[in-house]
Amino acid sequence: MMAVVNVWGFIMLTLSSWSCAAGCTWMKTQNRASLSSFQVLSSSSIFHLEQACKDSVHSHDTLSMEFPHKQYNLIHQLQAQDHILFILRTLKSIRRIYIKKYEKVDCDQRELQIFLLDVDRQILELEQCEKNILATNVQKRISKKMDLHFRSLVSRLKSTDYSTEGWNELAGVVLKHLRRLDLLATKTKSDLQD
């Protein structure tokens, strides 16, 4: 009897977390062809970071910093609720890098502030979607690896003594992240529409 109750409890919890992710209007649209609110702001954040740090836009193909392609490929195979958590945590990691030291970045400060405002808005909206989503074990493992990745980026930046070159290289990696998150958001939107 207790096992049946536990199974039903698990099923209800799963359905509730799925419906919460499905109810995330920030990530979906009425029309499949249009962009979600997330994607509109994502495009804006990419544009403003590109404008802020123009040197990094052209040099990001030859980065010495590692990029976590494997984690993006793994998360892409999971469900929409996992995507939402992954996107949220990645954006929070990006914000943490810039939040205390961005005034020292040799970039257009106004554009950089707009970029950070865009990221903050994305985080704020995704936190509303996240409230009732439970992270899967796979998602937790991916998050740990992403945390290590972002720590290595900060460590690399520190090792360059927060130089212009270090910030430009970092901006190149962040742009790669933003573009991959945008692609993931497209899949999330599609999954939520089905």
Side-chain angles (χ1 to χ4, degrees), residues 3-49:
V4 172
V5 171
N6 286 340
V7 169
W8 278 109
F10 175 76
I11 290 170
M12 295 306 291
L13 186 62
T14 302
L15 287 173
S16 126
S17 67
W18 179 82
S19 69
C20 180
C24 185
T25 56
W26 182 249
M27 297 297 285
K28 62 184 183 178
T29 60
Q30 298 294 328
N31 178 346
R32 283 185 183 271
S34 61
L35 296 175
S36 68
S37 298
F38 175 87
Q39 290 172 302
V40 169
L41 211 49
S42 177
S43 295
S44 176
S45 66
I46 291 168
F47 172 78
H48 289 293
L49 185 57

Side-chain angles (χ1 to χ4, degrees), residues 29-184:
T29 60
Q30 298 294 328
N31 178 346
R32 283 185 183 271
S34 61
L35 296 175
S36 68
S37 298
F38 175 87
Q39 290 172 302
V40 169
L41 211 49
S42 177
S43 295
S44 176
S45 66
I46 291 168
F47 172 78
H48 289 293
L49 185 57
E50 286 174 341
Q51 293 304 303
C53 305
K54 291 182 181 173
D55 291 343
S56 64
V57 175
H58 301 294
S59 65
H60 73 273
D61 290 332
T62 58
L63 298 171
S64 63
M65 294 181 182
E66 291 284 324
F67 189 80
H69 293 288
K70 184 177 180 183
Q71 279 66 45
Y72 277 96
N73 294 338
L74 287 171
I75 203 73
H76 195 77
Q77 297 169 19
L78 299 180
Q79 296 179 357
Q81 64 186 18
D82 296 305
H83 300 172
I84 291 168
L85 292 178
F86 179 85
I87 292 168
L88 174 60
R89 289 176 180 161
T90 303
L91 288 172
K92 282 182 172 182
S93 295
I94 289 169
R95 181 179 62 183
R96 270 193 300 275
I97 290 172
Y98 280 92
I99 204 68
K100 293 180 184 172
K101 304 240 185 236
Y102 80 90
E103 297 89 1
K104 297 180 181 180
V105 180
D106 187 24
C107 291
D108 182 322
Q109 291 296 306
R110 182 181 172 281
E111 292 290 337
L112 205 51
Q113 285 177 342
I114 295 169
F115 158 71
L116 288 170
L117 287 171
D118 287 345
V119 170
D120 281 341
R121 174 71 193 280
Q122 288 172 297
I123 289 170
L124 182 68
E125 295 292 342
L126 287 173
E127 283 176 336
Q128 298 305 310
C129 297
E130 171 209 33
K131 286 184 177 177
N132 295 317
I133 298 175
L134 294 174
T136 61
N137 287 333
V138 174
Q139 207 286 329
K140 287 177 184 176
R141 282 196 304 273
I142 293 170
S143 287
K144 283 182 184 176
K145 297 211 179 200
M146 289 296 285
D147 286 344
L148 289 173
H149 163 72
F150 280 104
R151 278 192 222 139
S152 76
L153 293 183
V154 170
S155 177
R156 172 90 167 112
L157 189 59
K158 282 181 184 175
S159 75
T160 68
D161 200 26
Y162 299 95
S163 69
T164 300
E165 183 181 303
W167 277 111
N168 282 339
E169 191 173 18
L170 178 80
V173 175
V174 169
L175 281 168
K176 268 184 139 170
H177 276 291
L178 295 174
R179 289 181 181 121
R180 288 296 297 265
L181 292 176
D182 198 50
L183 290 173
L184 185 59

